[in-house]
Structures are given as structure tokens and as C-alpha cells.
Amino acid sequence: MTSWRIAVDPARCLGAGMCAAAASHRFRLVDGYSQPLAERIPPDPAVVDAADLCPVEAILVEEEPT
Amino acid sequence: MVTTEGAPRVRNHPFSEPDGLRLDSLYAQLRREEPVSRVQLPFGEPAWLATRLADAKVVLSDPRFSRAASITRDEPRSTPHKVDTGILAMDPPEHSRLRTLVSKAFTARRVELLRPRTRQIAEDLIADLRAAGPPGDFIAAFAAPLPTTVICELFGVPEADRAQFAVWAEAIIATTALPQEQIAAYVDNMNQYVAGLVMQRREHPTDDLLGAMVQARDAAGDRLTELEMIQLAAGLIAAGQETTVSQLASFLYVLLTNPERWEELKREPGLIPAAVEELLRYVPLGVAAAFPRYATVDLELGGVTIRSGEPVLVALHSANRDESVFDRPDEVDFRRDARGHVGFGHGAHHCIGAQLARMELQVALQTLVRELPTVQLAVDEPELEWKSGMLVRCLKSLPISW
């Protein structure tokens, strides 16, 4: 059983909002920049889609064994 | 501003003929006094116009706004006939599906892999320019061929077909510059051509962007249909040519008319990525606001009530000069934090080619700083001519010497 750790690199984030649009249950914009709603999540393909959508590859997804 | 009858004043938009890269002074006044106001574009129904950055971002990303609603409406626009904007006229979830699939192919990594080849193309173009001797036209010699070559490489368009392809692509963003039938014919030619490229890649998978689009599968295991690929590819190719050509020319124009900034880049080439970001903020690309979003419920924005069904336009260039966000907004300052600009739009429809454009613009400036450091305008600034009848602001030519 794995879980994923997700993060947004604040140095890269432009606040384009694609992640929040694609996976509103995982990302939201706070003061214009993206933040994950939770850092540790069950594997979620929507997060992979959101990471691919990010115009600056600011979304980091790591697999972690639980 | 309210008339004596109580209805807000409707102004024609754009407010004046574009004058180089100068912005009409009305935008600053509107941001201060009437941030969301009524406008009438050359064609279509009246609309609201958002001029401040925060409001712009709401309109472009809030789920209460729709692009798909524009399809059945007399959409406010600068062209006599409505243009099919493809993916740009879709809402989630249809939009999300297409956008996600394309993003699997059009990744930042793929763009980065093109950087060395782009450098080579840029160096060769400058070498040819130098060999032909001063003066030269920066647009014909560099700004036009660079993005065109790069996007053709990205898609695997053979060398022999590239000149014809560029002619078709220019037609797609013309407003009154070409007759309607001509535009339609060129668009058709482009679509058929791209269909051929897609078909080749179904037979023989390739490693280029089009090949990757053929292979792309999303989280649901879904894929792009033939028609979707053709429309997307044609749209991406068209969108990526004139816009980048125009920005390359406009960026150099700004640098040549602000020589201290050019000197600064030569002294500190490490500033170039930040300079590209600042110039994306500073340079107005479009002639008029475009691609209205339709409210799907009543909502409050910038002190007005937008009724369900009303269209709202965003003046991106005005939002990028919002003094409440960007200090001294009408100054070019490479040391400011220009992130948060909306030069590439915002939200679900954020420019999908943004990383490609950034890479080309960075490579272009890096190459110029190194290979053509003594570049200057070959004519006085008032002699420069700007194209008319286009959706984007661009110079007809940029005569330079060195």
C-alpha cells in the first residue's frame, strides 16, 4: 500500500491555476499561488494529470511506502 | 461612470487605433474609477471589460464563467465572422480531457530538449544576417523564421513544406487583412496537411510532438480522436507562429528604444530569463480584448453586478500594468518580480505553448547579446511601420544595423 507526497515548488509556481482547475480536490490558489490541500494522499491519477498540466513543472509527486 | 439615466456608459473597444506598443491612457483611468465597464467591440453584442489584475484572474479562472456559452451567442469580437476557437471554446470536463491529453505530449521537458537545436537555429540566422551585411530587417531575417522553424521541428513538418505552412498560419490570425474566403481556404489547407502528418504517425510512430499526441493516454485511459488531433495541432501551430514572431520583434524594439536596458542585458546576461518575464508583462500583444467569458450566474465583480449570460472581456495588457500589483507599472524593470502577469493568460486556458515561447525568447535574447551586441535601429523610431487589421500588434519590419 503506497501513498503519495505532493508539493508545489513555490519558486516555480506562476499562479496560472491549471492545477486547481484540473484537481480542485487536491490544489487551491492561496494569495494567487498554488498549495496542496493535503501533502500526503492516496495515489490519485488526477494529480499526475495536474502535474502534466502545470506550465512550469512546479508540482512534485513522490511515491512513499506506508 | 454613470449617465443621468442610470445606465453605465458604453465605450467602443479598442478605445483607439493601436499606436506602436503604447496603451490608451483610458485604461489607467478605468482601473482607478471604473474597473469593470461596458464596451462595444467592432462586432457582436456589448460586453463588460475587466481592467484590473485581480478581476482579470477571477474572470479567467472562476468556474462561474464559461467559454462554451460563447458558441450560441453573438460573441463580442474584432472579426466580422465568428472564429472557431476549438479548445478555447470549451469548458470542463470536455476541455479538461483535451487539455490533459495535449499536456502529456507538450511537456516542459520536451521543450527543454529543443533548446540546443533552437540555439543552433538562432546562431545560424544571425550568421546569415551578418554575412548579408547591415542594414537588415530583423523580422524577415530572425523574428519570423525562428519560431516558424522551431514549431515545424516540434511537429515534424518537412523543410520543403515550411514556407507554405507559414502562409497558412498567418491567415488564421488576420482580421480584415485577408478576405474571408481566403482565410477559410488557408485554414482548410492547413487542416488537410496536418491530417496527413497525423496519419503518417499512426503508421510509423515518431518521437516528435505530433507523434506523442498520437500516443497520449490520460488517467482514464482515454485518447485523442483523429479530428481532435488535427484541430489541436493546427491550432497550436497557428497560435505559436505569429504571436512569437511579434513578441520577438517587439522585445527587440523595446530594447533598442530603451538602450540602457540593452546595455544592462549585455553586462548581465544572467538577467535574460527575468527580462523575458518582464517584457511578457510589459509588451501588449493583442490589439483588443478577445475571447469573452460568459457568466453562468449573477455575480459581483469590480463593483458591478454581472448578470447570468453576460459576456466579460479581459484587457490583459491593462491587467499587466495594474499599479496596485506592479510598482511603476509602465517602467521596464528587469529586477522586479514580474511573475503573476497574465501575458499568457490564466486559468484553464493558460497558453499551452508558454514554455516553448519562453525558451525561444530567452534563446533569442541570449544569441543577440552574444552575436550582435552592437545592434541598433537603422531608422528613426517614428519611421517604423506597424501592421494593421491583425489581432496582434506587430511591426511590418524592424530595420537594424550593427
Side-chain angles (χ1 to χ4, degrees), chain A residues 13 15-16 18 49 52 55 57, chain B residues 100 104 109 339 346-347 355:
Chain A
C13 179
M18 317 277 322
D49 284 350
D52 280 335
E57 284 197 317
Chain B
T100 302
K104 305 277 176 194
R109 270 152 284 148
R339 288 182 312 151
H346 186 73
Q355 286 306 86

Side-chain angles (χ1 to χ4, degrees), chain B residues 20 61 204 224 227 236:
Chain B
S61 61
H204 306 286
L224 293 165
L227 185 60
L236 291 178

Side-chain angles (χ1 to χ4, degrees), chain B residues 53 56-57 60 280 314-317 319-320 326 340-346:
Chain B
L53 187 66
K57 289 186 171 181
L60 296 174
L280 286 165
V314 171
L316 293 175
H317 42 276
N320 280 340
F326 303 108
H341 69 75
V342 286
F344 286 123
H346 186 73

